[in-house]
Amino acid sequence: MSVEARQGIAITRVPAGLGGLVPALALIGLFFVVPVLALLLRSVTDPAPGLQNYAALLGDGTYARVFFNTFLVALVVTIVTVLVAFPVAWMLAIMPPALASILFGIIILSMWTNLLTRTYAWMVLLQRTGVINRALMAVGIIDQPLPLINNLTGVTIGMVYIMLPFMILPLVGSLRAIDPMTLRAAALCGASPLAAFRRILLPLSLPGIAAGGLMVFVMSLGYFVTPALLGGTSNMMLAEMIAQMIQSLLNWGLGSAAAFILLIVTMALYALQLRLVGAKRTAGGV
Amino acid sequence: MKLIFAGILAGLMATTAAKADEMVFTSWGGTTQEAQTKSWAEPFAASSGIKVLQDGPTDYGKLKAMVDAKNVTWDVVDVEMDFAIKAAKDGLLEPIDFAVVPKADLDPRFSNEHAVGSFYYSFVLAWNKGAVSGEPASWADMFDTKKFPGKRTFYKWSAPGVIEIALLADGVPADKLYPLDLERAFKKLDTIKSDIVWWGGGAESQQLIASGEAAFGQLWNGRVFALEKEGADVGVSWNQNLTAADVLVVPKGAKNKDAAMKFLAAAASPTGQAKFAEASGYAPINTKAKAEMPADVVKGLPDAHVDGQINLDMNYWAEHRDEIATRWYAWQAK
């Protein structure tokens, strides 16, 4: 049977009912629902049936701290990413297309470069004997190396850099959709550039910020390589702790419980955001 | 279509047929596995006709998953000794067939019923000569920030090493280390906590010392050996060097157990051990291996520094892994 013929069948079947969705649902079930259920099951049965893994995670100050760190890092990274990405995205949106496509190329190229390589590059730049500290000391701005690595600063710099494309791309989309005439109209009506930004550009670009922000936040929650290499032990994130539990300590019950809590919290945040942004967008539309 | 199926079927049958004279060896990758391939796998394949496939890196979670799922694709795995002891207790390993693997010359410190030593290494005190004035001589110097200012680097994970170093630096005699006084160790570590940079892997430890990012460090001797070979200006103190071992194990239910035992015999033989030690800078676990090695190589191995050498107690660690890990991460996160 040819591919076209099969597609033809699928197309004719979908309107008749949900039959066409069966393969997709089966795939999602097999590769997403089943593993998540297995994870949940393990978290309440390993090493013994009961909720002791959750009790251990929620009752212990260390784990609570790691959870807190994880969300703190993700939040800081998301905020800084928005602040850095916005001007870049605005520039891309108003640039002549030919120039913009070159800039896009550069951004995409950085995404395609190996993550580990980019993280190591930041290590070389940020360390005490690194390029940045040496340059600053050479010109006499500082006389002691700045602590840029093995702390929250290092993690934030490294992760913001890696997350930027995920914020810029949706943001450019929503900025390009804004009619430039609205800004001109605002100026004609006497709005200062700041007022025009605050009352027109920002509200209209909110869907892009929300989409990019959610993506960056959720990706940051599960990030592993960059925080492990650029962070210190006092800002260990959950992914690193889970890896440690699963790979080294073979404490799968505890690791599963931690992973499950992360999943639930992420999904709750997602639902909350859909609600808030969804509601706001509808209101804005009306 | 039929042709494709026939091809796949033939391929499947071929792999099944080939299974009898094939086995899979798994190690940590990098220069260590390269040395193991050259020193053990290749000569073994040539003499026995058993093809040795390579996999890696070693992943304890994966090993457990394979055994639990009764679908074990690894036949011989290079693991850390304390893990091997715990894994044997959890029923994840096959017992070693000492009728095939001759036991007589194996260093009893690094082998047991479920594991044959792979190599042993020492944690040594290494420093960047450009970043340190004077010569630190003991672990106590690593904790003396007045005499030796600068960052110091230690192994990040909860594993044999750092706790012992802190206790030694605090004046605990080597033969009184165990049971570990965790309270005392963390109190000592508190005194230099803000001066510690952690390394999570061997390459990172080398990078930190070579760049001077950390002036001193607790490093695997093989990593210092490699730094010296590359011409980095590093100093090393073997005073109170701490030994620990990697061992070779056979996961429970390995499909090519017989081939695996023969491979272990070859890897643990004097020649196999001598060749590997020469390539890696780690020490042999076969007591007869030294005789087959050039004198200048022996000089650089932990073997040549048995005075003041301290054996990390793997049985103690295997027993208390979880308890120490909980305390360790709680302290680190503070």
Side-chain angles (χ1 to χ4, degrees), chain A residues 42 60 62 65 120 123-124 127-129 149-150 228-229 233-234 236 240 244 246-250 252, chain B residues 59-61 64-65 68 83 92 151 156-157 197-198 204 207 211-213 321 325 329-330 332-334:
Chain A
R42 191 178 281 277
D60 185 298
T62 310
R65 215 187 162 90
Y120 260 88
M123 275 172 82
V124 174
Q127 60 190 8
R128 280 156 35 85
T129 51
I149 197 172
N150 300 317
L229 288 175
T233 47
S234 58
M236 182 185 274
E240 202 180 349
Q244 199 57 16
I246 303 281
Q247 285 184 343
S248 278
L249 302 172
L250 296 192
W252 286 12
Chain B
D59 180 331
Y60 300 150
K64 179 176 152 69
D68 284 356
F83 170 79
L92 300 176
K151 297 274 178 191
K156 182 177 184 176
W157 308 117
V197 181
W198 303 95
E204 204 182 346
Q207 200 271 341
S211 69
E213 182 70 12
R321 251 169 102 88
Y329 295 119
Q332 273 197 335
K334 247 197 312 210

Side-chain angles (χ1 to χ4, degrees), chain B residues 148-232:
Chain B
F148 294 101
K151 297 274 178 191
R152 31 274 273 159
T153 181
F154 291 99
Y155 193 33
K156 182 177 184 176
W157 308 117
S158 168
V162 181
I163 303 273
E164 284 89 343
I165 287 173
L167 291 172
L168 288 166
D170 205 33
V172 176
D175 57 350
K176 295 272 176 355
L177 278 175
Y178 301 95
L180 293 172
D181 184 344
L182 295 179
E183 213 64 54
R184 186 168 173 181
F186 285 118
K187 217 171 139 197
K188 183 72 178 170
L189 282 163
D190 271 332
T191 62
I192 57 163
K193 196 171 181 190
S194 56
D195 295 300
I196 298 177
V197 181
W198 303 95
W199 57 268
E204 204 182 346
S205 72
Q206 291 174 309
Q207 200 271 341
L208 286 167
I209 293 293
S211 69
E213 182 70 12
F216 324 80
Q218 161 215 14
L219 263 68
W220 287 314
N221 74 285
R223 293 292 178 162
V224 183
F225 172 79
L227 275 179
E228 284 173 330
K229 266 212 301 212
E230 282 165 25

Side-chain angles (χ1 to χ4, degrees), chain A residues 171-182:
Chain A
L171 209 47
V172 171
S174 70
L175 287 173
R176 276 195 180 152
I178 298 172
D179 187 346
M181 290 308 282
T182 53

Side-chain angles (χ1 to χ4, degrees), chain A residues 184-196:
Chain A
R184 214 163 292 164
L188 281 176
C189 297
S192 67
L194 192 67

